[in-house]
């Protein structure tokens, strides 16, 4: 075995010193690169968190807008239902009034037809009665009236004429 007087003269010492220096330089380079990678990763996470926060705020705004739109749609639908009901009531009332007016017109037309039929029947009955009366009068006159009775009736009518004229 070889013993050196001073430890710095031993080649093993210099190999160890070189190795430590190498490790320090390598460690510093690795440390710097590792810190840069971690800083970049941290910045990426910060950016992702900021983006997530922005997206959450947008989603919240969209949710509030959707709720407002839904509430407006519900209000509009209720208003439309109210208007539709009012319109349906108005149309039903108009249809009822029109049906009643139509029924009254038909009833009036039927009554007019009945009255016309009654008047026509009455006129026919009167005409038939007049024809029967005229026929009966002809037959009675032809059977009962003679020339002497006819002359007596004329004389009586002429005698009553002054009295009838004064009464009128």
């Amino acid at each position: 075995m070889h013993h050196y007087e001073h430890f710095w003269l031993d080649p093993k010492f210099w190999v160890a010193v070189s190795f430590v220096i190498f490790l320090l330089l390598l460690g510093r380079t690795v440390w710097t690169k590792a810190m840069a990678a971690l800083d970049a990763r941290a910045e990426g996470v910060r950016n992702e968190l900021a983006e997530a926060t922005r997206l959450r705020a947008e989603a919240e705004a969209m949710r509030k807008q959707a709720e407002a739109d839904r509430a407006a749609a519900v209000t509009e639908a209720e208003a439309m239902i109210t208007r539709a009901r009012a319109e349906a009531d108005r149309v039903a009332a108009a249809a009822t009034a029109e049906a009643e007016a139509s029924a009254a017109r038909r009833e009036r037309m039927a009554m007019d037809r009945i009255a016309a039929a009654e008047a026509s029947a009455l006129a026919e009955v009167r005409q038939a009665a007049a024809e029967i009366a005229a026929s009966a009068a002809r037959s009675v006159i032809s059977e009962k009236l003679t020339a002497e009775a006819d002359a007596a009736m004329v004389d009586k009518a002429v005698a009553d004429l002054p009295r009838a004229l004064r009464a009128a």
Side-chain angles (χ1 to χ4, degrees):
M1 229 161 48
H2 231 264
H3 288 292
Y4 296 101
E5 209 173 300
H6 297 292
F7 68 91
W8 62 82
L9 296 176
D10 189 1
K12 290 184 214 171
F13 170 75
W14 289 112
V15 168
V17 169
S18 300
F19 184 69
V20 168
I21 291 172
F22 174 74
L23 283 179
L24 286 175
L25 291 175
L26 181 66
R28 183 181 166 131
T29 305
V30 168
W31 181 259
T32 304
K33 287 186 180 186
M35 285 297 115
L38 288 174
D39 286 344
R41 176 84 172 124
E43 185 62 30
V45 168
R46 268 191 234 96
N47 289 340
E48 288 177 5
L49 284 173
E51 179 69 13
T53 303
R54 186 184 63 77
L55 290 174
R56 180 165 188 221
E58 285 180 12
E60 186 67 24
M62 289 172 68
R63 184 186 63 80
K64 286 181 181 176
Q65 181 62 38
E67 286 176 356
D69 290 347
R70 186 184 73 70
V74 165
T75 303
E76 179 63 24
E78 288 172 353
M80 287 174 69
I81 289 171
T82 302
R83 285 192 305 269
R85 283 187 180 144
E87 182 65 18
D89 290 344
R90 186 191 64 74
V91 167
T96 301
E98 179 60 31
E100 289 174 357
S102 177
R105 281 192 307 270
R106 287 186 181 142
E107 181 180 357
R108 191 170 53 249
M109 288 171 53
M111 295 303 277
D112 290 346
R113 285 182 188 155
I114 290 170
E118 285 177 351
S120 174
L122 187 59
E124 288 177 9
V125 167
R126 283 184 180 159
Q127 184 179 358
E131 288 177 6
I132 291 171
S135 173
R138 268 193 300 273
S139 73
V140 165
I141 288 174
S142 65
E143 290 175 8
K144 304 249 176 172
L145 198 57
T146 60
E148 299 87 28
D150 188 31
M153 268 196 338
V154 170
D155 290 340
K156 182 180 176 196
V158 169
D160 286 340
L161 190 60
R163 183 179 53 85
L165 288 174
R166 273 187 242 130

